[in-house]
Amino acid sequence: MQDLIKEMETYASENNVPIIQKESIVYIMKYIREHNIKSILEIGSAIGYSAILMASSSDDVKLTTIERDETRYMECLKNIKKSDLDKRINVVYQDALEVNLTGVEYDLIFIDAAKGQNINFFEKYKNFLSKNGVIITDNINFHGLVGKSDTIESKNLRQLVEKIEGYIDFLKYNDEFNTEFLDIGDGLSVSTRKEEN
Ligand code: SAH
Ligand code: MG
């Protein structure tokens, strides 16, 4: 397992695959154990790095992960086979905004796909969150650029960072969810439902 993880880290750095930072995945794995998380939905599998680590944090975890890129999907399947966690990880090859889910609930939804679509992923998938579930989103700081969008020269990059800033406001002023912003790795947001009154 350790060898596979190392191998995936090397592949990711050689092929520019943006896998989660160590500090962040360590936080999520601890969260899974402490909150007795049993079912996980991940949006954005890439090569299966975070999926394999999340599923390995407890034997009780079942995980579904969605990836729309064919090369990464194939690489993900290969890695999950090698990890021997294929009985507990299900990979869906589709655009997450087009996936049709019915009759399922997840204790943890991990959003780590196209950064400009975070609000859309959140709004769609909150309907599949269990009562005390959590939605965690990666890359909330986006390489330290978030909060500095007005200084970015490249128009595409600026617009992307503005979208992430918009997502942060969406979470801050959300009627249904409370969100904690963690300055670890590339920044994580941790959103849970407000107490019903
Ligand atoms: N969670 C992974 C990294 C994911 S990188 C890890 O930490 O190991 C983001 C991935 O999301 C990319 O592979 C990209 O192809 C995928 N992606 C982006 N938008 C998507 C969408 N709408 N549906 C499914 N996958 C998407
Ligand atoms: Mg990420």
Side-chain angles (χ1 to χ4, degrees), residues 132-184:
N132 296 309
V134 63
I135 301 181
I136 299 182
T137 310
D138 191 27
N139 308 102
I140 286 296
N141 296 344
F142 205 67
H143 322 302
L145 294 171
V146 166
K148 299 180 190 152
S149 57
D150 49 346
T151 68
I152 300 170
E153 302 263 328
S154 147
K155 189 172 177 217
N156 284 344
L157 182 60
R158 186 171 61 244
Q159 285 176 343
L160 183 62
V161 174
E162 280 168 355
K163 286 246 169 118
I164 302 174
E165 291 169 349
Y167 182 60
I168 292 172
D169 283 343
F170 162 84
L171 293 176
K172 270 189 186 157
Y173 306 109
N174 201 283
D175 291 335
E176 281 173 275
F177 287 83
N178 279 322
T179 298
E180 209 187 328
F181 295 92
L182 303 178
D183 196 12
I184 58 175

Side-chain angles (χ1 to χ4, degrees), residues 27-59:
Y27 170 87
I28 295 172
M29 291 169 79
K30 188 159 172 261
Y31 192 103
I32 292 169
R33 285 188 294 262
E34 284 177 356
H35 293 81
N36 202 16
I37 303 275
K38 296 212 156 57
S39 54
I40 302 176
L41 176 70
E42 175 181 66
I43 305 167
S45 333
I47 59 172
Y49 181 77
S50 51
I52 288 171
L53 285 169
M54 286 191 285
S56 72
S57 31
S58 154
D59 289 344

Side-chain angles (χ1 to χ4, degrees), residues 8 17-21 25 42-52 54 65-70 72-73 92-99 110-115 117 121 138-139:
M8 292 172 83
V17 180
I19 58 170
I20 192 167
Q21 292 187 27
I25 193 67
E42 175 181 66
I43 305 167
S45 333
I47 59 172
Y49 181 77
S50 51
I52 288 171
M54 286 191 285
T65 182
I66 308 173
E67 176 56 54
R68 68 174 175 192
D69 178 87
E70 189 180 6
R72 289 186 179 173
Y73 166 73
V92 178
Y93 172 44
Q94 203 176 349
D95 190 305
L97 293 173
E98 286 165 13
V99 170
F110 179 49
I111 302 178
D112 191 20
K115 305 304 160 193
Q117 299 287 337
F121 294 136
D138 191 27
N139 308 102

Side-chain angles (χ1 to χ4, degrees), residues 67-109:
E67 176 56 54
R68 68 174 175 192
D69 178 87
E70 189 180 6
T71 311
R72 289 186 179 173
Y73 166 73
M74 298 302 287
E75 194 63 28
C76 182
L77 285 184
K78 207 173 81 190
N79 288 325
I80 287 164
K81 248 221 132 68
K82 282 193 201 166
S83 76
D84 253 357
L85 294 169
D86 42 333
K87 287 209 173 63
R88 294 196 284 116
I89 303 179
N90 168 34
V91 193
V92 178
Y93 172 44
Q94 203 176 349
D95 190 305
L97 293 173
E98 286 165 13
V99 170
N100 257 323
L101 294 176
T102 43
V104 280
E105 268 196 350
Y106 300 95
D107 302 325
L108 163 63
I109 297 176

